[in-house]
Amino acid sequence: MLKRSIFAAISLAFVTLAGASSAKPALKDVAYVREGIIAVGMAYEISEECSSLKARLFRGIGYLNDLKGHARGLGYTDAEIDAYIDDNAEKDRLEGIARARLIELGAVAGNGATYCAVGQAEMAKGSAIGRLLR
C-alpha cells in the first residue's frame, strides 16, 4: 500500500514538472523541485494512512503549480516536462526517498497511528509536508 500511494502522489507531481535539457542540469538535480515532489508524496501517504489527517487538495495543487512555475522560470519547456513525466526510474527513485524519510520520521507500514504522529509533528514544525495536511 505504501508504494502504491506514494507512487500516485509522485506521478501527479510529475504531471506538473519539467525535465532536463543539455544546457541545464537534470530537473532531478534541482533541489527545490525534487524536495517539493518528495514532500507532496509524503503528505499524500500520511493522509492515506492516518484517518484523522487529510491532504489539503487545493493547497497541494497550488504547490505543484509553484514547482512547475519554478521549473519554467529555470527555462524548462513543455517538451522537457513530458520527458520527465515519462521517467519511471526517477519516479521509483523519489518513491524510495519518500518512503525512507517516512520511516526515519517514525512511520511504520500498517500502523496508522505512526503516520498520524509524523503528520502532526510536521504540521507543528510548519514544514512543507505539514502545510499540505489538515
Side-chain angles (χ1 to χ4, degrees), residues 9 12-13 16 36-37 39-41 43-44 54-68 128-129 131-133:
L12 175 63
T16 67
I37 293 170
V40 168
Y44 178 81
K54 302 295 176 213
R56 292 179 175 264
L57 180 60
F58 294 115
R59 185 173 287 182
I61 291 169
Y63 186 57
L64 292 173
N65 283 330
D66 178 57
L67 295 175
K68 181 179 181 180
I129 298 162
R131 290 189 304 273
L132 294 169
L133 297 168

Side-chain angles (χ1 to χ4, degrees), residues 34-35 38-39 42 96-107:
R34 180 187 62 245
E35 294 303 317
I38 293 168
M42 292 172 71
I97 293 169
R99 195 174 312 113
R101 287 186 185 174
L102 283 169
I103 291 168
E104 287 172 11
L105 292 171

Side-chain angles (χ1 to χ4, degrees), residues 44-57:
Y44 178 81
E45 182 63 23
I46 290 167
S47 74
E48 288 293 299
E49 296 294 327
C50 173
S51 61
S52 65
L53 297 177
K54 302 295 176 213
R56 292 179 175 264
L57 180 60

